[in-house]
């Protein structure tokens, strides 16, 4: 059955986050589908409260005309709110509406209906404000662009606001930080639905990193310039990916960079927004997922080849990442043979 994605558009939203959803979920890439035996891609429906009425964007110069209605939102499998609308009198972006509860009642009703019907609810950037206005984030962990975190906390005290992350999943509700984090979340949704290799294939086509862990920091300070720290760290990270099956430690990575562990850890955190250990664990889990999808290796063998060591550790790490056992994950995504 085709997975329907409803993209909710409103007057004066940002075209960037909107375009990310269109690129990932609306463009069926034939070579990726053929390579992985997929008969169909997502069915993207672009929906608005008043179909056919031109919608302004957050920037002057062009409008959009949408054909889908809010009725399609209520019936969708996944619903994406790309951003809260910009107020007509706002002079700068990003600026939110100044009062909670100011979103369109018809849009909020459609979102509530979709959620009640079991849809996966997703927001990019300030779109979290719209989900919160609908009450969908009550009692849940959620995030938004770092500029709006305090606004989300103050306007919606029933939301458990999580800062300094790229995206957050709380059961069937997913929220992301701003701009590029929408891409990370979109690829994670593809990974959840269709597996690691399909998501990586989409990332390669879009020339973006295939995986950034959702727990990474939103704001990453520039890596120190001298002596070519970015290049050195990139070489070390590529080397680590080639040696994941080995018992790598942070000390091993530091040795490759010819730095002390303390100095390496500091440079790595500044450049990547996460610790070397967290990054290494994320890479190993991604490798394990790929092996579960594409091979008939035993769980013990997958754990060994991904560097996670034991089946018990693999089960724990996979449960943290996707909430299922290795056997259940393989049953859902296996493409071996």
């Amino acid at each position: 059955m085709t997975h329907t994605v409803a993209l909710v558009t409103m007057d004066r939203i940002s075209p960037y986050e909107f375009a990310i959803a269109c690129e990932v979920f609306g463009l069926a890439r034939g070579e990726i589908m053929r390579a992985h035996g997929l008969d169909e891609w997502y069915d993207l429906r672009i929906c608005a409260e008043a179909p056919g009425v031109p919608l302004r964007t957050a920037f002057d110069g062009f409008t959009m005309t949408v054909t889908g209605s809010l009725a399609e939102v209520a019936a969708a499998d996944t619903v994406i709110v790309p951003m809260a609308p910009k107020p007509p009198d706002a002079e700068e972006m990003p600026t939110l509406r100044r009062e909670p509860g100011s979103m369109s009642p018809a849009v909020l009703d459609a979102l509530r209906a979709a959620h009640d019907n079991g849809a996966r609810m997703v927001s990019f950037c300030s779109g979290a404000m719209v989900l919160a206005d609908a009450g969908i984030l009550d009692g849940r962990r959620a995030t938004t662009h770092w500029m709006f975190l305090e606004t989300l906390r103050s306007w919606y005290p029933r939301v458990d606001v999580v800062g300094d992350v790229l995206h957050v999943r709380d059961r069937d509700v997913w929220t992301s930080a701003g701009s590029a984090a929408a891409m990370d979340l979109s690829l994670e949704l593809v990974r959840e639905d269709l597996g690691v290799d399909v998501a990586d294939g989409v990332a390669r086509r879009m020339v973006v990193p295939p995986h950034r862990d959702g727990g990474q920091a939103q704001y990453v300070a520039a890596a120190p310039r001298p002596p070519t720290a970015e290049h050195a760290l990139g070489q070390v990270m590529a080397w680590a990916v080639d040696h994941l099956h080995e018992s790598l430690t942070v000390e091993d990575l530091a040795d490759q960079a010819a730095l002390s562990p303390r100095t390496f850890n500091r440079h790595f955190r500044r450049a990547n927004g996460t610790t070397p250990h967290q990054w290494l664990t994320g890479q190993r889990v991604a490798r394990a997922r790929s092996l579960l999808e594409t091979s008939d290796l035993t769980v013990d063998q997958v754990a060994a080849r991904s560097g996670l060591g034991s089946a018990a550790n693999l089960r724990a790490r996979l449960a943290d990442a996707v909430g299922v056992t290795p056997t259940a994950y393989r049953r859902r995504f296996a493409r071996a043979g």
Side-chain angles (χ1 to χ4, degrees):
M1 180 180 296
T2 304
H3 188 112
T4 302
V5 177
L7 180 57
V8 180
T9 56
M10 291 170 279
D11 200 40
R12 298 183 68 84
I13 65 168
S14 167
Y16 180 77
E17 287 84 357
F18 170 86
I20 287 174
C22 292
E23 180 77 12
V24 173
F25 301 104
L27 180 57
R29 294 170 169 84
E31 78 282 7
I32 295 175
M33 296 175 64
R34 288 189 295 272
H36 299 285
L38 299 176
D39 296 326
E40 53 192 15
W41 195 243
Y42 296 91
D43 179 12
L44 179 66
R45 309 289 181 88
I46 302 175
C47 307
E49 183 174 353
V53 176
L55 296 172
R56 297 166 295 176
T57 67
F59 309 101
D60 294 332
F62 69 97
T63 60
M64 299 187 297
T65 301
V66 175
T67 57
S69 71
L70 294 181
E72 295 179 85
V73 174
D77 299 299
T78 293
V79 176
I80 300 176
V81 182
M83 193 175 182
K86 172 187 174 184
D89 58 346
E91 297 180 356
E92 298 179 357
M93 280 295 294
T95 305
L96 296 173
R97 292 194 183 277
R98 293 182 173 81
E99 298 294 337
S102 59
M103 307 300 171
S104 161
V107 169
L108 299 182
D109 286 344
L111 294 175
R112 294 186 192 105
H115 188 235
D116 290 344
N117 289 337
R120 178 173 59 185
M121 307 301 293
V122 179
S123 70
F124 299 156
C125 194
S126 61
M129 304 291 177
V130 184
L131 294 186
D133 236 23
I136 293 170
L137 299 186
D138 287 356
R140 296 178 186 268
R141 299 170 68 249
T143 194
T144 186
H145 192 290
W146 59 267
M147 293 181 67
F148 307 143
L149 288 170
E150 290 308 314
T151 301
L152 185 60
R153 286 192 182 99
S154 63
W155 283 7
Y156 306 101
R158 298 183 64 183
V159 179
D160 181 7
V161 179
V162 182
D164 207 27
V165 293
L166 296 180
H167 52 79
V168 171
R169 176 186 186 178
D170 191 321
R171 292 163 285 169
D172 57 348
V173 178
W174 304 61
T175 54
S176 83
S179 300
M183 181 72 72
D184 297 298
L185 178 51
S186 296
L187 292 172
E188 186 61 29
L189 295 174
V190 175
R191 195 172 288 110
E192 165 89 1
D193 296 335
L194 302 174
V196 172
D197 288 350
V198 175
D200 287 355
V202 174
R204 284 193 295 272
R205 274 290 304 271
M206 297 177 69
V207 198
V208 298
H211 180 66
R212 289 198 300 167
D213 180 37
Q216 286 187 219
Q218 289 190 34
Y219 178 75
V220 180
R225 292 288 178 181
T228 61
E230 300 94 337
H231 180 63
L233 286 180
Q235 286 184 328
V236 172
M237 293 165 77
W239 175 85
V241 169
D242 289 338
H243 294 79
L244 288 176
H245 60 285
E246 300 177 10
S247 300
L248 297 181
T249 64
V250 175
E251 287 73 19
D252 293 327
L253 302 186
D255 286 343
Q256 285 292 316
L259 297 171
S260 71
R262 183 175 179 179
T263 300
F264 176 78
N265 187 68
R266 183 173 69 252
H267 287 343
F268 194 98
R269 288 178 67 101
R270 291 181 62 188
N272 297 289
T274 189
T275 68
H277 176 73
Q278 290 169 330
W279 176 83
L280 196 57
T281 298
Q283 294 300 309
R284 283 173 164 156
V285 170
R287 175 68 57 79
R289 291 171 69 174
S290 181
L291 290 172
L292 288 169
E293 293 174 21
T294 60
S295 77
D296 58 1
L297 296 172
T298 67
V299 173
D300 285 319
Q301 289 172 325
V302 170
R305 295 197 185 186
S306 62
L308 291 172
S310 68
N313 191 38
L314 169 57
R315 281 192 290 270
R317 297 299 183 182
L318 196 64
D320 289 341
V322 295
V324 298
T325 65
T327 300
Y329 186 87
R330 170 170 273 161
R331 187 182 303 118
R332 181 174 181 182
F333 293 117
R335 295 188 298 278

